[in-house]
Amino acid sequence: MIISVMALISPINKSILLTDINGAIAEILKSENIIYFMAVSLALYHILIHVNKIETSLLVRVINVVFAIILATFMNYGILFRSDLIFFSKVNLLLILVKETGLSLAFYIGLNFVESKLIKYFSVNTLSKNNRTNNYHLWLKWFLIIFICWIPYLFVLYPGISNSDTGNQLVEFFNHGNWIRDDYPIGWYLYNKHIFTITNQHNFLVTVLYGSNVKIGYLLFHNAAFGLFMNSLLQVALMIALYAYAMVVFNDYGMNKNVLKKIGLFFALFPLLPVTTMFITKNVLYTEAVLWSILLLTKAQKNKALLKKESWNILFILSIIGQLVTEKYAIYVLIIFTLFNFIFLYKNGDYLIMSFKVISVILIFVAGQSAVFKSFNISNGDPIEGESLMIQSTALYQKKYPNEQTVYQKKAINKVFVIKNLASLYNPVDSDPVKSSGNKKTGLQPDGRYSNHLLNEFKEGYRYRTVKKSDIQTYKKVWIKLMMKHPLVLLEAFMNGGYQYLDILSLPSNSAATVASDSFNVAHPGIYIPIYHRKEWIRIDYSNRFLKLRQAMSAMYNIFSKLPPFMLMINGNLLIILTIMLAITVLSLKLYKEFSMLLLLLVQIPVCMLSPVNGNQRYTYPFILSFMIILGIVQCFISSKNRR
């Protein structure tokens, strides 16, 4: 208990003097400190009185220790970051270390406790003999149930939910080349007289899909909004089909009918699922492709003969292609997935053959995409787009050590960025200001022409008009030297940009506007997508329908996202943590084939942490939309092992 109290009072806010008793009490009563107190006290209770043991391999115990330390570190960092806390003495630093130790211990015991309870519950409570139900009839039944329950959302949120990225993709498709050249932070050296205005900045084929549907809606019905709705409806239909297919997979495993029914009703009635699915963005399409692969692999794990069936292999290859065409980083996810299979499942011939097929699809896709891009002069996107950590650490370095660079280093950086602006542009949780993306031009004029006029308040960061490939290569070499000199800058930039994804206390903003645009995009006032096509304006306004109802939905989301237990199923960062716990549970039972399937989700976590925006709910969609499926799959895996 003494350690609990010490951990409770270790950091003190700048605005609170150590002699201010009232201020100290107020600090202690902060919710995060109460959580610290309860967590560490619980850890001590379990150590001294009742430790719930679980027999696991050394590997799993090590993973639990590492994960516990990570959770404690990110939680502590979040408190320091949000509260602007400082340390007054070495004693306080020691207390922080005590808090870190206590929290790590609490998380470790908590992980073991939850894993043991999951294994015990799933082992005795779920599977029976295979349910004899026609798969097609079961799929159709749940597809119709879920679709009917989602219809009100399709009506209220018509024609869909969108954001600035979607708008830019539509602008690309409708050939506003000048706008794209200046609005995107893409180096002009990459265009080189390109005749095609559609880039691969937001995935070429996704842009073509979204733009084609809008154009069809406009040409056939003179209603571009209906075209946007076609995109939304497509995503909804695919997601419902996958949820219905999950019911078939669970049924094949012999899941208890009552449990099966509860999961189906969750798919149908949990409001975040249809709202998230209606967000017209590549993140939703990518999630659907990943879920498709996971469900196919899960079904094949039950019926291994499927791995040799032509129909199953065709569907699996299509799901892999779906991942590759919707997210550029999918290549790395799939490579890690196949490497795991080669290392840990080399004795299983079927899985090795499947892994070779995945690698073959990747190679064919990369070669084919390269040929298409070269033939049509399609820009593959700027190389700094995926270098958020490099960008942020460079800007932070200018802020902390502006005078510790040689003339050569400053010139190298200045050829890529406007070095004098980097310190002021640095935003710890968002790299977009440094990349100079958005809000810098007046945009399209009423006559359809584009204005190159810079807004007065705009500060340029990335020199995409003049930068060359050689400049970026030189800058990267300089960046490595700077980070070697001050590695803590790199660590701080990394933590600032990604800690929220593994911080259990990080919750969506209280601001309805922020939540609406970032995680629950339903309440935007007066937003529209402007497209100039065939000498007339096409305006897609999706914000004025049921505006009060949308605002009420956003307000309810804000409330429930901060109330346990609802927050566990709403906040993407918490679902990431729960998914990791489920994966460790599978690994603890040495279910390596089953664990390899979950890698398709787990590898998303470092991708999120290296993304341009910290805590962006859109990047956590794979976890939000798939969590109940993963929970059901893990339940089937554990129960099947126990039955065997």
Side-chain angles (χ1 to χ4, degrees):
M1 191 63 72
I2 294 175
I3 297 177
S4 312
V5 175
M6 292 173 69
L8 185 66
I9 62 174
S10 56
I12 305 296
N13 195 282
K14 289 179 181 178
S15 61
I16 298 176
L17 298 176
L18 291 177
T19 56
D20 184 351
I21 302 301
N22 292 330
I25 293 174
E27 187 71 22
I28 290 173
L29 292 178
K30 281 188 174 181
S31 60
E32 59 264 23
N33 283 328
I34 293 175
I35 291 175
Y36 279 140
F37 179 81
M38 294 175 62
V40 179
S41 298
L42 180 64
L44 290 173
Y45 168 78
H46 275 280
I47 290 172
L48 299 175
I49 300 177
H50 174 68
V51 178
N52 193 298
K53 295 182 179 179
I54 175 174
E55 294 183 4
T56 58
S57 65
L58 176 62
L59 173 63
V60 172
R61 288 198 292 271
V62 171
I63 291 174
N64 273 335
V65 169
V66 172
F67 187 40
I69 293 173
I70 290 173
L71 289 177
T73 301
F74 279 60
M75 183 176 173
N76 267 326
Y77 192 90
I79 296 299
L80 296 173
F81 184 90
R82 286 188 296 270
S83 302
D84 194 23
L85 300 176
I86 61 172
F87 312 109
F88 287 90
S89 65
K90 292 181 180 180
V91 174
N92 275 350
L93 292 176
L94 177 62
L95 293 176
I96 282 290
L97 181 60
V98 171
K99 176 187 287 186
E100 179 78 13
T101 304
L103 274 176
S104 298
L105 192 57
F107 279 125
Y108 176 75
I109 293 173
L111 289 171
N112 281 284
F113 179 79
V114 172
E115 288 166 14
S116 64
K117 291 299 182 183
L118 282 173
I119 292 172
K120 181 178 179 181
Y121 176 79
F122 289 156
S123 296
V124 301
N125 210 17
T126 52
L127 298 192
S128 56
K129 294 182 179 179
N130 289 351
N131 298 323
R132 294 185 177 181
T133 306
N134 183 287
N135 280 345
Y136 174 73
H137 290 162
L138 181 66
W139 179 89
L140 183 61
K141 168 189 169 182
W142 281 107
F143 182 92
L144 293 176
I145 290 174
I146 298 171
F147 181 75
I148 291 171
C149 292
W150 284 23
I151 286 177
Y153 299 96
L154 292 170
F155 184 70
V156 171
L157 301 177
Y158 175 89
I161 307 168
S162 186
N163 66 354
S164 58
D165 285 348
T166 310
N168 286 336
Q169 286 179 274
L170 294 178
V171 168
E172 280 189 78
F173 183 85
F174 284 92
N175 296 317
H176 296 303
N178 287 333
W179 190 342
I180 299 306
R181 282 175 66 93
D182 273 322
D183 191 57
Y184 279 7
I186 298 180
W188 284 10
Y189 75 93
L190 293 167
Y191 286 97
N192 191 25
K193 299 182 181 178
H194 285 181
I195 59 173
F196 224 67
T197 60
I198 302 179
T199 72
N200 198 42
Q201 182 80 352
H202 292 295
N203 294 77
F204 172 75
L205 290 177
V206 175
T207 299
V208 171
L209 172 67
Y210 286 165
S212 297
N213 282 334
V214 171
K215 194 165 187 176
I216 289 171
Y218 177 72
L219 293 177
L220 294 183
F221 307 103
H222 207 71
N223 187 342
F226 183 78
L228 197 68
F229 176 69
M230 289 170 60
N231 289 317
S232 183
L233 187 61
L234 172 65
Q235 294 183 172
V236 166
L238 288 174
M239 187 59 70
I240 294 176
L242 288 168
Y243 285 151
Y245 184 58
M247 301 296 287
V248 171
V249 173
F250 297 155
N251 183 72
D252 284 348
Y253 272 82
M255 181 177 284
N256 180 283
K257 289 185 178 180
N258 289 329
V259 176
L260 193 67
K261 183 178 179 181
K262 290 176 182 177
I263 292 177
L265 291 176
F266 179 85
F267 292 150
L269 301 176
F270 188 57
L272 192 63
L273 298 181
V275 173
T276 301
T277 304
M278 287 190 69
F279 199 139
I280 303 171
T281 173
K282 61 185 179 183
N283 304 88
V284 174
L285 290 172
Y286 175 66
T287 299
E288 292 172 337
V290 171
L291 275 179
W292 193 10
S293 293
I294 291 175
L295 287 170
L296 286 170
L297 289 169
T298 303
K299 192 171 178 65
Q301 178 60 23
K302 175 65 178 175
N303 181 8
K304 294 178 177 57
L306 289 175
L307 291 170
K308 298 179 180 179
K309 280 195 173 184
E310 184 178 350
S311 58
W312 184 93
N313 278 280
I314 291 174
L315 292 175
F316 182 68
I317 289 173
L318 288 175
S319 72
I320 297 300
I321 294 174
Q323 295 175 53
L324 292 170
V325 301
T326 51
E327 279 289 5
K328 286 174 275 190
Y329 66 75
I331 291 177
Y332 307 109
V333 174
L334 291 169
I335 288 175
I336 292 174
F337 166 74
T338 53
L339 284 177
F340 181 90
N341 289 342
F342 286 139
I343 295 172
F344 293 96
L345 304 176
Y346 62 91
K347 294 182 180 180
N348 190 309
D350 290 334
Y351 270 76
L352 282 184
I353 293 172
M354 179 197 67
S355 299
F356 277 116
K357 290 177 182 177
V358 173
I359 293 295
S360 299
V361 172
I362 293 174
L363 294 175
I364 294 171
F365 174 82
V366 171
Q369 179 177 261
S370 178
V372 170
F373 286 6
K374 186 175 181 180
S375 299
F376 291 95
N377 291 316
I378 299 169
S379 171
N380 197 26
D382 198 292
I384 74 160
E385 180 63 27
E387 306 290 353
S388 180
L389 178 58
M390 185 181 294
I391 295 169
Q392 291 292 77
S393 56
T394 300
L396 183 59
Y397 199 99
Q398 302 307 314
K399 191 171 183 177
K400 284 180 170 287
Y401 307 105
N403 301 318
E404 290 193 19
Q405 298 154 79
T406 66
V407 174
Y408 170 78
Q409 289 173 337
K410 288 184 177 180
K411 285 184 177 180
I413 296 173
N414 200 50
K415 283 188 176 181
V416 180
F417 301 100
V418 182
I419 194 169
K420 65 179 181 180
N421 291 340
L422 289 184
S424 59
L425 286 174
Y426 175 69
N427 182 327
V429 299
D430 186 358
S431 65
D432 280 348
V434 177
K435 288 193 301 182
S436 303
S437 58
N439 298 326
K440 56 183 172 290
K441 301 291 192 304
T442 56
L444 288 176
Q445 301 303 297
D447 60 359
R449 292 183 300 170
Y450 184 80
S451 171
N452 282 326
H453 177 65
L454 286 169
L455 299 178
N456 292 331
E457 64 271 20
F458 173 73
K459 284 186 177 181
E460 187 175 20
Y462 179 41
R463 296 183 186 271
Y464 55 91
R465 297 180 188 83
T466 58
V467 71
K468 299 176 182 178
K469 184 178 181 180
S470 58
D471 297 333
I472 295 178
Q473 292 173 342
T474 303
Y475 153 67
K476 288 184 176 180
K477 295 177 182 177
V478 168
W479 174 80
I480 292 174
K481 292 182 179 180
L482 295 180
M483 293 306 111
M484 290 178 66
K485 185 177 181 181
H486 289 289
L488 288 180
V489 170
L490 183 63
L491 177 62
E492 183 177 347
F494 170 74
M495 292 297 290
N496 288 347
Y499 78 87
Q500 291 185 35
Y501 293 106
L502 288 175
D503 174 18
I504 66 172
L505 296 181
S506 289
L507 302 175
S509 169
N510 284 310
S511 166
T514 301
V515 171
S517 62
D518 197 35
S519 57
F520 199 69
N521 185 355
V522 298
H524 274 310
I527 301 296
Y528 65 88
I529 300 174
I531 301 171
Y532 193 76
H533 182 60
R534 293 184 178 180
K535 296 185 178 181
E536 70 172 314
W537 281 99
I538 305 171
R539 296 179 184 271
I540 305 176
D541 193 333
Y542 56 85
S543 60
N544 293 322
R545 294 171 54 85
F546 302 101
L547 184 57
K548 290 184 178 180
L549 180 57
R550 289 174 177 232
Q551 292 172 341
M553 292 169 65
S554 185
M556 291 298 292
Y557 173 84
N558 275 322
I559 294 172
F560 284 104
S561 67
K562 295 168 180 61
L563 290 177
F566 307 105
M567 58 191 290
L568 292 175
M569 290 305 301
I570 289 180
N571 297 322
N573 60 316
L574 297 179
L575 291 174
I576 287 176
I577 295 170
L578 291 175
T579 301
I580 296 174
M581 293 173 65
L582 290 174
I584 295 175
T585 303
V586 170
L587 196 60
S588 70
L589 295 174
K590 300 181 181 179
L591 298 171
Y592 299 120
K593 286 184 292 186
E594 292 80 355
F595 178 79
S596 73
M597 306 173 196
L598 302 182
L599 277 178
L600 293 172
L601 271 178
L602 296 179
V603 182
Q604 313 288 326
I605 299 168
V607 173
C608 286
M609 299 180 73
L610 295 173
S611 62
V613 184
N614 190 10
N616 191 314
Q617 293 291 89
R618 179 160 62 97
Y619 299 147
T620 66
Y621 279 2
F623 299 91
I624 292 174
L625 292 170
S626 70
F627 180 76
M628 188 55 67
I629 288 181
I630 300 303
L631 183 64
I633 287 174
V634 171
Q635 176 179 337
C636 291
F637 289 160
I638 295 175
S639 300
S640 293
K641 178 180 174 62
N642 181 68
R643 187 164 60 186
R644 291 196 298 270

